[in-house]
Amino acid sequence: MVDRKTIEAYDQRVGEYAALVAKQNEKSDPALLCFIEKLKKGDNVLDLGCGPGHAAHTMKNHGLVVDAVDASPEMVKLANETYDVGARVMLFAELDAVAHYDGVWANFSLLHAPISEFSDHLAAIRKALKTGGWFHIAMKSGEGEKRDSLNRLYAYYTRDDLAQRLERAGFEIKDEASGELRGLTGDLETWIAIDSVAV
């Protein structure tokens, strides 16, 4: 299912969102640098939900071959205008690669996928990764689904639920972190991030 309301919310606020991301990553994103350290120069990485392209740009500068994708045409346009990362429009459900990537970076992107489709997306990511490839996922903590004040769809997971879903999809958890983050609506919310290996 394509949630057009979520995509439209990002299309309409692309500059505002890019400014927020830039502020959050003024120095460097430690989770991103940790992810990069797990890979080697020349590795293929999928930036699934690349937004304004800052992570794709950083990974590219560290010698990774980055495939940057996002469902928002305006985000893709901005990413390419700002960083020239070759970003393209792609929906989660359109991922059909087989054993191609050495890493997948899905940082606060899959939280917009309905819970009913989440397992299918994890299966597609596992299929797209080479065995031994790294998968980073960050989600907001909680339970159920809801729309925020900008009409974006969010799916929430507890740490244990997310971990179990990853393990069932063929991933072995290696690292995890949690914290709080103030997003585009200004609300402070908790999050969970997990780095795992495709087995």
Side-chain angles (χ1 to χ4, degrees):
M1 179 186 79
V2 179
D3 191 71
R4 294 296 176 190
K5 293 179 181 178
T6 300
I7 296 173
E8 288 170 4
Y10 282 110
D11 280 343
Q12 293 166 4
R13 297 170 178 82
V14 61
E16 186 181 350
Y17 184 75
L20 175 67
V21 171
K23 183 178 180 181
Q24 292 172 345
N25 295 277
E26 283 177 334
K27 296 179 180 178
S28 61
D29 181 347
L32 177 59
L33 296 180
C34 182
F35 178 75
I36 291 170
E37 287 174 1
K38 294 175 169 117
L39 301 164
K40 63 183 184 298
K41 288 185 178 181
D43 277 356
N44 291 305
V45 177
L46 175 65
D47 187 349
L48 188 61
C50 67
H54 73 285
H57 175 66
T58 300
M59 290 189 283
K60 183 179 177 181
N61 281 348
H62 280 79
L64 301 177
V65 179
V66 185
D67 184 10
V69 302
D70 201 281
S72 164
E74 291 301 318
M75 285 291 180
V76 167
K77 180 181 177 183
L78 179 64
N80 288 331
E81 288 176 349
T82 306
Y83 298 115
D84 190 26
V85 291
R88 59 192 175 92
V89 176
M90 190 188 86
L91 307 176
F92 297 141
E94 294 175 323
L95 178 60
D96 60 2
V98 178
H100 177 72
Y101 299 107
D102 300 286
V104 173
W105 174 262
N107 198 53
F108 299 106
S109 56
L110 284 166
L111 41 66
H112 293 305
I115 292 173
S116 61
E117 299 176 10
F118 189 55
S119 293
D120 288 341
H121 294 323
L122 290 181
I125 290 168
R126 173 60 190 90
K127 188 176 181 180
L129 274 167
K130 300 173 185 176
T131 298
W134 285 92
F135 177 39
H136 168 90
I137 183 171
M139 307 285 279
K140 290 185 179 180
S141 304
E143 296 182 72
E145 295 177 356
K146 73 172 184 179
R147 290 190 180 276
D148 68 5
S149 59
L150 301 179
N151 218 11
R152 296 176 297 177
L153 176 68
Y154 277 92
Y156 296 84
Y157 298 86
T158 64
R159 181 269 169 204
D160 289 346
D161 185 16
L162 181 58
Q164 289 168 10
R165 287 173 182 270
L166 287 168
E167 288 166 354
R168 286 198 298 268
F171 295 98
E172 182 180 336
I173 294 171
K174 295 295 186 180
D175 302 303
E176 57 185 271
S178 60
E180 293 182 326
L181 187 66
R182 200 175 298 278
L184 197 56
T185 62
D187 297 329
L188 187 65
E189 296 186 88
T190 58
W191 54 265
I192 174 74
I194 295 178
D195 281 11
S196 59
V197 170
V199 295

